[in-house]
Amino acid sequence: MEKKNIDWGNLGFAYMETDKRFVSNYKDGAWDEGGLISDANVTMSECACVLQYAQTCFEGLKAYTTEDGHIVTFRPDLNAERMENSAKRLEMPVFPKERFIDAVVQVVAANEAYVPPFGSGATLYLRPYMYGKNAVIGVKPADEFEFRVFCTPVGPYFKGGVKPLTICVSDFDRAAPCGTGHVKGGLNYAMSLHAIVSAHAAGFDENMYLDPKTRTKVEETGGANFLFVTRDNKVVTPKSDSILPSITRRSLVHVAKEYLGLEVEEREIYLEEVKDFAECGLCGTAAVISPVGKIVDHGKEICLPSGMTEMGPITKKLYDTLTGIQMGRIKAPEGWIKVIK
């Protein structure tokens, strides 16, 4: 298929409408068969549950053109499983895993002309989401839901190359104890907007959220998990019931163990020990790993030995290995790559 006339090398990380999206509706206790549509607009009641009570969840994943010319997605089964967990927590019907993956495949195949070519630095970002659709005025779950998947070509999350970030310890909580921090609900992101705008206004790139109960332990940022490297090259990630289980972070942990032979530990990480780490990174779909060079705790600067000019050596190896797997340069573990074409 002929590609769209897009300046792939200068794409930003922003929405661009594409030709097709998948839609399926839930009514009377069952999902319909769904299908691809051309209309990018959503029509619903002014009293729709999603508008009144934020009953919605979403996922994010990418499709890539590999070095040998195939179009693939990365671990969509884990996105399906995470959306299942989000739906259950938010009293929404589960969209079956097999159908989730099939919807992703259909959307990528139907928008093949928008899949950026290999080497462009761009990818096709996919956004599956679900929301309560019918009118609800009393506080209760919706009865009717819509599951949709759209896609948009995006450039690198960081234009001009990856530079280490400066982040601040936030005065806000990302999630409540026994709350919804472990699911990908829109409500979690709405509450983080003021915190990130405040951080940007103060000159920081992101927030470091602490555990909401004691405010002594590292949790995550508004949209990414933390990954630390000790001075003896051990990879350490925070453990908490209120952290979103990042697919990228879980993949990097496997890469660290099985590809790089590194020791990995998932445990509680106290803010007071962050100064002792050699490297720090933020893990997520958009940028894979964003290196952190400096953490500011209410005026007290914690400068990572890896510095403010480039990724630390272990972070770089993790990044290069995982992106190599995604792009087909390195053999992937069984089941990680879903070939679409």
Side-chain angles (χ1 to χ4, degrees):
M1 179 182 289
E2 184 178 351
K3 296 293 184 183
K4 296 289 184 179
N5 185 22
I6 295 172
D7 185 359
W8 305 108
N10 288 305
L11 276 175
F13 201 86
Y15 172 75
M16 176 190 296
E17 184 179 323
T18 53
D19 294 339
K20 300 287 184 180
R21 64 274 312 135
F22 179 89
V23 180
S24 178
N25 284 279
Y26 181 92
K27 188 175 182 179
D28 298 326
W31 290 102
D32 65 19
E33 66 180 21
L36 296 170
I37 66 169
S38 299
D39 189 0
N41 297 304
V42 174
T43 302
M44 70 181 81
S45 167
E46 63 183 348
C47 194
C49 191
V50 63
L51 301 179
Q52 305 308 314
Y53 305 122
Q55 193 180 21
T56 180
C57 60
F58 70 97
E59 279 297 323
L61 66 159
K62 290 180 176 179
Y64 313 82
T65 302
T66 60
E67 193 167 18
D68 59 4
H70 289 295
I71 296 174
V72 306
T73 59
F74 182 71
R75 309 192 78 178
D77 56 317
L78 295 190
N79 292 98
E81 291 170 8
R82 191 168 63 181
M83 178 169 266
E84 177 179 344
N85 292 333
S86 297
K88 288 177 178 177
R89 178 63 177 82
L90 298 174
E91 289 297 329
M92 305 171 79
V94 170
F95 195 74
K97 177 178 176 179
E98 297 75 16
R99 293 196 59 194
F100 178 105
I101 296 171
D102 181 63
V104 166
V105 170
Q106 286 190 52
V107 169
V108 175
N111 294 287
E112 182 184 343
Y114 290 93
V115 180
F118 175 78
S120 64
T123 54
L124 188 73
Y125 187 85
L126 291 132
R127 172 54 58 84
Y129 63 109
M130 186 194 307
Y131 58 91
K133 190 174 184 180
N134 63 293
V136 175
I137 196 67
V139 181
K140 62 179 182 178
D143 299 308
E144 300 174 12
F145 298 85
E146 190 160 275
F147 170 83
R148 298 174 72 104
V149 183
F150 69 82
C151 65
T152 183
V154 296
Y157 196 72
F158 295 104
K159 297 292 286 184
V162 178
K163 296 295 182 184
L165 308 177
T166 298
I167 66 176
C168 63
V169 175
S170 181
D171 288 324
F172 299 98
D173 289 331
R174 176 186 164 271
C178 305
T180 58
H182 63 294
V183 303
K184 204 167 177 68
L187 67 169
N188 294 339
Y189 294 80
M191 63 70 55
S192 74
L193 296 177
H194 177 66
I196 190 62
V197 168
S198 299
H200 287 167
F204 300 105
D205 297 300
E206 250 294 2
N207 287 294
M208 171 183 280
Y209 291 109
L210 304 179
D211 73 290
K213 190 171 184 178
T214 71
R215 298 191 56 77
T216 60
K217 292 173 279 192
V218 176
E219 290 257 298
E220 61 174 304
T221 69
N225 283 186
F226 277 102
L227 180 149
F228 296 95
V229 180
T230 65
R231 294 173 191 267
D232 59 354
N233 295 338
K234 179 192 294 184
V235 175
V236 185
T237 63
K239 183 176 183 179
S240 167
D241 291 337
S242 55
I243 290 177
L244 184 74
S246 164
I247 293 164
T248 302
R249 190 260 302 161
R250 284 181 277 171
S251 301
L252 287 166
V253 163
H254 181 89
V255 164
K257 290 179 181 177
E258 305 301 331
Y259 283 71
L260 302 180
L262 299 172
E263 185 179 351
V264 178
E265 186 177 15
E266 182 183 8
R267 62 170 173 82
E268 293 181 338
I269 297 174
Y270 286 85
L271 176 61
E272 65 182 20
E273 66 178 297
V274 169
K275 66 182 185 303
D276 300 322
F277 289 117
E279 301 175 39
C280 174
L282 309 182
C283 317
T285 300
V288 183
I289 307 181
S290 308
V292 175
K294 184 190 298 183
I295 300 164
V296 180
D297 179 13
H298 299 86
K300 179 184 176 182
E301 293 189 351
I302 303 170
C303 298
L304 280 301
S306 51
M308 293 296 297
T309 58
E310 58 187 8
M311 282 188 179
I314 299 300
T315 304
K316 183 70 162 59
K317 287 179 181 179
L318 289 167
Y319 176 86
D320 288 345
T321 306
L322 187 58
T323 54
I325 289 169
Q326 291 172 335
M327 293 297 177
R329 294 190 296 268
I330 298 173
K331 183 175 175 56
E334 184 70 27
W336 277 29
I337 302 297
K338 174 70 174 178
V339 178
I340 295 173
K341 183 180 178 184

